[in-house]
Amino acid sequence: MAKLSYHYPLSIRIWHAINALCILLLILTGISMYYVDPDRILIEFSWAVKIHNVTGVILSFSYLFFLIANAVSKNRKYYKMPLKGLMNRLVKQSGYYAFGMFKGEKKPFPLTEERKFNPLQKLFYVLAMYVGVPLVIISGLGLLFPESVIKALFGVSGILITDVLHVAMGFFISLFLVIHIYVSTIGHTKSANFIAIISGYGWIEETENETKSEE
Ligand code: HEM
């Protein structure tokens, strides 16, 4: 039986909207700066730099808000990932995404009051929010304030390492974004999750006995 459940507090929805807009702008200006070509200008270079830097600073503050909000609120429980049986759960969820859902199989980890993300979603949210985004911010601030970066590491220039790390994390977050938007369409309906991250209410398909034992 499916029913609506309040899954996304206002703080998380506001953070998510600011975060999504910043990341989209950073990807756009990042691509424009990276593939700068006087003949094919996406955004004029000096403007791309200005927008990228200001948006980067806004993203840093919004990330700080996410960290604190997630640390002090109940929302953090949804990011807890017990290692015991993790591989088994990830394989089960991957099998569902790869085959099960096309054969109309039941979801192995249906959303419930207690579970807002399936194991694969959770793994990618933890990687994006506790590895990818902090590293892209720290390396970005290093590029914005190059005097704060170490001169060299094992003979390799500190700025080069910072730049490679920044671009690599930018690439990872772009990939995450594409997968994230696709996986968000696999909900109660194609638009249900998008409505949920705006309204706060998501559909849960709780079946009592199943949920407790699985995680
Ligand atoms: C246009 C861009 C984006 C769209 C359309 C979008 C869509 C969504 C949707 C529909 C949800 C709710 C469903 C779910 O829990 O999966 C969600 C949640 C989430 N999104 Fe996004 N997203 C976007 C960008 C991003 C970016 C750039 C990040 C991180 C770098 C991100 C991180 C998250 C996280 C962590 C949650 C769970 C929030 C929570 O409940 O704690 N999203 N997003």
Side-chain angles (χ1 to χ4, degrees), residues 30-213:
I31 290 171
S32 182
M33 290 187 287
Y34 197 81
Y35 297 102
V36 62
D37 176 341
D39 303 330
R40 279 174 307 131
I41 293 182
L42 190 60
I43 302 170
E44 197 277 320
F45 190 77
S46 66
W47 268 109
V49 173
K50 279 194 209 98
I51 298 169
H52 197 82
N53 292 347
V54 171
T55 312
V57 171
I58 296 171
L59 180 82
S60 309
F61 284 107
S62 96
Y63 181 67
L64 213 54
F65 173 79
F66 171 85
L67 271 188
I68 297 165
N70 235 23
V72 300
S73 75
K74 278 199 290 109
N75 201 56
R76 76 169 173 276
K77 73 177 178 192
Y78 297 114
Y79 289 78
K80 281 213 180 95
M81 210 164 51
L83 294 180
K84 191 167 165 292
L86 177 63
M87 270 327 281
N88 175 24
R89 293 194 296 277
L90 292 175
V91 169
K92 238 184 193 171
Q93 186 63 42
S94 313
Y96 174 76
Y97 277 147
F99 311 104
M101 73 178 194
F102 301 106
K103 291 192 285 181
E105 282 175 16
K106 267 198 314 185
K107 289 182 176 156
F109 301 95
L111 305 192
T112 66
E113 302 286 359
E114 290 311 307
R115 179 191 301 124
K116 179 159 72 169
F117 313 134
N118 69 51
L120 213 50
Q121 252 179 324
K122 188 185 290 189
L123 175 70
F124 277 94
Y125 284 159
V126 168
L127 286 177
M129 299 317 298
Y130 291 97
V131 181
V133 174
L135 283 180
V136 91
I137 290 174
I138 293 164
S139 56
L141 292 174
L143 296 174
L144 194 56
F145 307 106
E147 64 284 358
S148 67
V149 174
I150 51 166
K151 286 274 165 290
L153 190 66
F154 308 117
V156 183
S157 117
I159 290 292
L160 177 63
I161 295 169
T162 310
D163 188 41
V164 169
L165 179 66
H166 191 66
V167 173
M169 287 305 115
F171 181 73
F172 164 66
I173 291 169
S174 309
L175 201 60
F176 162 84
L177 182 59
V178 174
I179 298 169
H180 175 46
I181 294 174
Y182 165 66
V183 169
S184 295
T185 65
I186 309 170
H188 188 66
T189 62
K190 287 213 171 358
S191 60
N193 282 330
F194 298 97
I195 296 166
I197 199 69
I198 296 166
S199 70
Y201 290 87
W203 285 94
I204 60 170
E205 304 116 13
E206 185 163 14
T207 46
E208 246 333 292
N209 51 12
E210 205 170 307
T211 49
K212 300 280 171 307
S213 63

